[in-house]
Amino acid sequence: MRLRGSGRHRPVIALAAAAIGFAVAPGMAEPRPDGATRSQRAAVLDEQGPGPEPGGRGPQQGRGPDQGPMNAEQTDKSVRTLTLGPAGLLELRNLAGDITVTAAPGRDARIEIVRRARGRTDDAAKLGLERTRVIVDHKGDRAIVAVDPGTDRRPPYFVRVMYTVSAPPGTRIVASSLSGNVTIADIKGDITAHVTRGDVDIRRASLVSSVRTIDGDVTLTDLESDRGVTISALSGNVDLQRIRARRVDVDVTRGDVELLTVVSDAVEVKSLSGSVEFEGSLVSGGRYHFQTHSGSVELRLTGSTGMDLQASTFRGSLRLDPSLNLKTPQAMRGSVRGTVGDGSAIVVATTFSGDVAIARK
Amino acid sequence: MRSCEDVQRALSAFIDGELPSKERAALRGHLADCEVCRGVHADLLRLRATARTLGPVAPPDHVWLEVAGRIRLQEAPVAAPPPGPGTVESMPTGRTPRRSAIGQWVGLAAALLVITIGVYWFQQTPADAPADQAATQATAVDSVNAELNLALQHSLQAIGELEKMATNDGSAIDPEVAEMIRQNLALTDAAIAESRTALVTNPESESARASLFDALRRKISTLQTTVSLINEMRQGDQEGAARVAEGAGKKS
C-alpha cells in the first residue's frame, strides 16, 4: 500500500502491541493430503529474487536450506485467442503476477500469457516453467484462465505469471490474484476484481460490482454505472474519481478514501484509520454516510441540494462553512445537527479523533 | 438432535416455527436441560423482539438483508469450493463444532450490532420533529441501546474464539499478509479501547458510539477473513484463498 501525504493518520503500530500473535514460521513444511505443502505454495506466492519485479511486490529473501539468490530466469510467452462474443465472461485466476485487461473491437479475447520462472540455476528455472502451467477452459461464451502451480513439495523455483488481455468491450471480467496488480480499462461489462496482495486500477468502466483487496490500493476512474459499486480493502487507499453510480460503498480498515466528482443516490464510506474526502453533488433523497475513527472527514459539496446534516467528532473540531446556512442547528459538545435548504438528502459525517469540515465548493 | 451444536443450529428455525413437531419437541427437551442453549435461545428471541421495536422508521433494506444473510450464513454448512481448471482439489471442508459455536456468537453479535446501528442511525430524532414523536423515538432508541451491551458481549465472545483460532493456526498465512492483518487488528483494538473509554466519560457521544460499533464489526470481520484465509491456505487451495478476498472488509 502506498503512503499518501504525510501519513499523519497512520499510527505507528508497535508489533508488541499486536492483538494476536501469529506463529509465523517460514520454511516449515506442512504436509497435506494431496502432497503439496505450504512451502510449495509459498514458492508460488513469494518472490525470492534479488530485485523487485516491475509491477509486483517487493522481493523476499530466500528461505530454507537452499537460501541464495534466484538469478537464473526462464521466460515463456504464449497467446490464446478465444471467441467469447460481445458479452462473454472471462475469468482470470492468478497466483502471483499482474493482470491487465483492455478493450478491443471484435468478438475475440486475446490473452497473452507470460510465465517468468526464476531459480538458482537454469535447470531449476526451466523446471518451474514445466511444472507451473496455465490452463484455459473455454466453453461457449465463457472462459476460465487459471494457474496450476503443480505439486512439487519444495520447488526450487518461483514463477510469476502475467496475463495481458484484450477483449470485446462488453466482456464480463472476473479477475483474482493472490499477489499482483489488476488493471482494467475501457471494459463495459460487469467487473469483479479480488486481490489478496496487490493494487486494483479500473478506468472507464460501466459496471463494477465488487473490488476487494486485503492489502492493496484501489483506484476507480471515470465510471458510469446504473448499479452499485462495492469496494473494500483491509489495508489500502481508495481513490474514486468521476464516478456516477446508484450506490457507492467503500470500507477500509487502514487507508485513506478520496471521492472526487462523485454523484450517487447513496454513498457510504467507512475507514478505521485514515481520512475521508468527498467532493461531489448530493442527490435529493440521497443518503451519505462518512465515518472514520482516526482521521478527518472533509466534504466539499457542489450543487445546491438541501440536506439534513449530522456531524460529530469526539476529539477533533467541527468546521462548517457559513455559506451552508444551517437552519435550526442543534449543537452539543463535538456534535452538530441541522438542516440545509430543503433537507432532502441525509448526510452523516463522523470521526472519533479527527476533524470534520463541510463546505460548499 | 442431542448436541448443543445441533440445537443451536436449529434455533432460528425453531423460533420461526419451521421445525417439524418431532424435532421441536426434542429441542424443547434440550433447552429445558441446557443453560447455554437456553441462553442462546433467549438471545435470539430478544433479537427478534428488538427487530420489532423498530416501528415505522425502518432501516434501509440492505440492513435487513445483512441481518438475514448473516444468520443464514452462520447456519449453512461450509461448502468445499468446486475444483476448477488449474486448481488443486481441496480437502472436503465441513463445519467443526468449534466453528459452529463461533458462528453463533458471530451471528448474534453481528445481527445485534447491525440492528442497533440501524436504529441508531436511521431512527434518530430529526431536528424539527414534534415533541411526542421525539419522545417515542427516544424510547425506541433506548430500548435498542439496551441491546448494545448484549451485542458487545457476543462480539467479545466471538472475537475471543476467533482469536484463538487465528493464534493457533496463523502460520499458514503468508507472513507479509499475516503482519498486515496483525497491524490492522491492533488498530482495531485501539479503536475499541478508545471508544469504550470515551463512552464511560461521555455516554451520549455519537462519534464514540459510531466508532465502537464500527470497530467491533470490523474486528469480527477481519478475524473471520483471517480464519478463512488460514483454512484455505492450509488446504492448499490458493484460489480459494483468493476468494477470501471477497470477504475482506465485507460488512457484518
Side-chain angles (χ1 to χ4, degrees), chain A residues 9 293-297 312-317 351-356:
Chain A
H9 300 308
H293 178 82
S294 57
S296 60
V297 177
S312 61
T313 175
F314 188 76
R315 289 208 187 118
S317 63
T351 171
F352 182 83
S353 57
D355 300 335
V356 177

Side-chain angles (χ1 to χ4, degrees), chain A:
Chain A
M1 181 180 71
R2 71 182 184 272
L3 292 178
R4 177 187 284 164
S6 64
R8 64 187 187 282
H9 300 308
R10 297 177 195 287
V12 176
I13 304 302
L15 299 186
I20 61 173
F22 290 109
V24 176
M28 286 178 59
E30 295 168 359
R32 63 185 181 130
D34 65 4
T37 65
R38 185 167 60 79
S39 295
Q40 177 261 315
R41 299 190 296 276
V44 179
L45 296 177
D46 298 333
E47 179 138 11
Q48 300 179 14
E53 281 286 329
R57 297 278 158 175
Q60 297 189 0
Q61 294 305 307
R63 49 178 62 167
D66 301 320
Q67 282 191 340
M70 289 192 170
N71 287 331
E73 182 174 303
Q74 295 285 322
T75 300
D76 174 75
K77 179 176 161 183
S78 61
V79 175
R80 291 291 302 266
T81 301
L82 311 171
T83 302
L84 298 177
L89 173 64
L90 181 58
E91 187 169 343
L92 302 160
R93 302 176 185 171
N94 204 348
L95 297 177
D98 297 342
I99 298 173
T100 304
V101 182
T102 54
R107 298 172 57 83
D108 295 343
R110 180 182 185 276
I111 305 158
E112 181 186 283
I113 300 163
V114 175
R115 293 178 299 143
R116 184 179 301 143
R118 281 190 176 181
R120 292 180 182 87
T121 63
D122 284 341
D123 285 345
K126 283 177 186 167
L127 187 66
L129 285 186
E130 284 172 20
R131 299 283 168 84
T132 306
R133 297 175 302 149
V134 174
I135 297 171
V136 178
D137 182 12
H138 178 205
K139 286 174 188 160
D141 64 351
R142 294 165 174 251
I144 299 173
V145 182
V147 174
D148 179 353
T151 55
D152 280 345
R153 281 181 174 272
R154 299 198 60 155
Y157 53 77
F158 168 84
V159 182
R160 182 174 283 274
V161 180
M162 273 70 68
Y163 298 145
T164 304
V165 178
S166 58
T171 307
R172 292 164 286 157
I173 302 288
V174 177
S176 63
S177 181
L178 275 185
S179 176
N181 301 326
V182 172
T183 306
I184 300 173
D186 298 305
I187 293 295
K188 306 305 177 189
D190 194 19
I191 295 172
T192 298
H194 297 153
V195 176
T196 300
R197 193 147 52 104
D199 300 335
V200 176
D201 186 342
I202 299 174
R203 293 168 189 274
R204 298 178 295 280
S206 285
L207 298 169
V208 179
S209 292
S210 167
V211 178
R212 296 197 170 108
T213 72
I214 288 184
D215 184 9
D217 298 334
V218 177
T219 304
L220 239 69
T221 314
D222 297 308
L223 173 72
E224 288 261 357
S225 176
D226 58 359
R227 296 195 213 158
V229 180
T230 301
I231 298 166
S232 71
L234 216 55
S235 183
N237 298 318
V238 174
D239 278 336
L240 306 186
Q241 288 195 40
R242 296 183 294 280
I243 305 294
R244 185 178 287 270
R246 187 169 206 155
R247 179 177 180 87
V248 177
D249 278 295
V250 181
D251 192 0
V252 175
T253 296
R254 187 161 49 129
D256 298 332
V257 182
E258 190 173 73
L259 283 69
L260 298 179
T261 322
V262 170
V263 180
S264 175
D265 294 342
V267 176
E268 183 161 358
V269 177
K270 289 187 176 181
S271 175
L272 183 80
S273 176
S275 63
V276 174
E277 272 184 66
F278 174 87
E279 182 181 304
S281 58
L282 306 178
V283 175
S284 182
R287 289 177 182 270
Y288 306 85
H289 186 180
F290 306 93
Q291 179 180 339
T292 180
H293 178 82
S294 57
S296 60
V297 177
E298 183 177 351
L299 310 182
R300 297 185 296 274
L301 305 175
T302 57
S304 57
T305 306
M307 62 184 149
D308 177 69
L309 173 66
Q310 304 169 51
S312 61
T313 175
F314 188 76
R315 289 208 187 118
S317 63
L318 292 172
R319 294 197 308 273
L320 301 186
D321 188 342
S323 70
L324 288 170
N325 194 18
L326 198 66
K327 294 180 205 163
T328 60
Q330 297 178 337
M332 293 171 61
R333 180 181 160 220
S335 169
V336 67
R337 182 166 188 178
T339 303
V340 175
D342 62 2
S344 60
I346 293 175
V347 177
V348 178
T350 182
T351 171
F352 182 83
S353 57
D355 300 335
V356 177
I358 303 173
R360 289 273 189 211
K361 193 185 174 208

Side-chain angles (χ1 to χ4, degrees), chain B residues 172-218:
Chain B
I173 292 188
D174 172 61
E176 283 189 33
V177 174
E179 177 55 32
M180 183 276 297
I181 290 173
R182 190 159 42 197
Q183 290 183 7
N184 281 5
L185 287 170
L187 271 178
T188 312
D189 280 343
I192 291 170
E194 278 186 321
S195 307
R196 292 180 75 175
T197 304
L199 284 170
V200 170
T201 57
N202 190 351
E204 297 303 312
S205 168
E206 291 175 15
S207 46
R209 285 187 190 198
S211 272
L212 179 60
F213 292 152
D214 185 60
L216 286 170
R217 172 190 68 81
R218 200 175 285 282

